[in-house]
Amino acid sequence: MSFYGESSQSLAIRPTPEPSVPAINLGALIGRIEEAIGEETVAIRTDVHFDIKASNARKSRYLYELTRALKGAREGAVPVEHRDGLIRLRERLADNEAAIRAHLSAVNEVANLMQNVIQRAENDGTYSAGEFGYGR
C-alpha cells in the first residue's frame, strides 16, 4: 500500500488521462484577431519602421487558432452569437488586404525607380570600356 491507500500495482495499470484541450472562447479569439488586424492595418499606413514580418506571424498564428476552433463545424453552423464577429473580422481582413496591397505597390514603385536610376548610372559612360582605353 502506498501513502494514498492504493497499491503501486493498481496505480501502474490505471491509464493516464489524456491532457485536456482547453476550450477556446471563440468570441475572445475573434476579438484578439480583430485587434491584431486593426493594429497591423494602421501601422502599415503610418509607421515606416513597422515589423510586418512579426505582425504577419502573429496574424497567421491567430488565424490558425480560429481555423482549429471552427474545425468540425459544418458550413453555416457557426454559433449565431459569433456570426457578427466573423463578419466584422472579414471586413477588417478586407481593409487589411487593401493596406497591404497599397504598401506592396509603393514598395514595387520605389524598387522600379531605384532600378531605373542604377541603369541610367551604368549607361552614362563613366565606367565604359572606351573610357579606360580598352575599346580602342
Side-chain angles (χ1 to χ4, degrees):
M1 283 278 211
S2 73
F3 178 74
Y4 297 103
E6 296 178 291
S7 70
S8 60
Q9 220 174 31
S10 66
L11 290 175
I13 59 172
R14 195 176 294 162
T16 37
E18 291 293 320
S20 63
V21 176
I24 295 175
N25 181 340
L26 190 56
L29 177 59
I30 292 169
R32 283 196 314 267
I33 297 170
E34 280 184 279
E35 183 179 338
I37 300 286
E39 288 173 5
E40 180 182 89
T41 302
V42 169
I44 286 171
R45 292 177 175 156
T46 60
D47 184 2
V48 295
H49 301 291
F50 177 65
D51 186 354
I52 197 163
K53 184 176 179 181
S55 181
N56 192 48
R58 179 174 61 159
K59 184 172 59 174
S60 294
R61 188 173 54 249
Y62 283 156
L63 292 175
Y64 173 75
E65 287 179 34
L66 179 63
T67 301
R68 287 193 51 158
L70 294 175
K71 188 176 184 176
R74 291 174 284 122
E75 187 155 332
V78 175
V80 175
E81 65 269 16
H82 299 300
R83 286 192 183 144
D84 289 340
L86 290 172
I87 290 169
R88 278 191 322 271
L89 179 58
R90 182 178 292 162
E91 291 167 357
R92 286 205 182 221
L93 284 167
D95 191 33
N96 182 257
E97 179 184 11
I100 290 171
R101 286 184 184 275
H103 179 76
L104 290 174
S105 177
V107 168
N108 191 35
E109 190 172 328
V110 169
N112 285 336
L113 288 171
M114 292 177 70
Q115 182 180 12
N116 290 339
V117 168
I118 291 169
Q119 286 175 345
R120 278 192 301 245
E122 289 176 347
N123 293 332
D124 73 354
T126 305
Y127 299 108
S128 68
E131 288 295 315
F132 294 103
Y134 298 119
R136 296 179 192 164

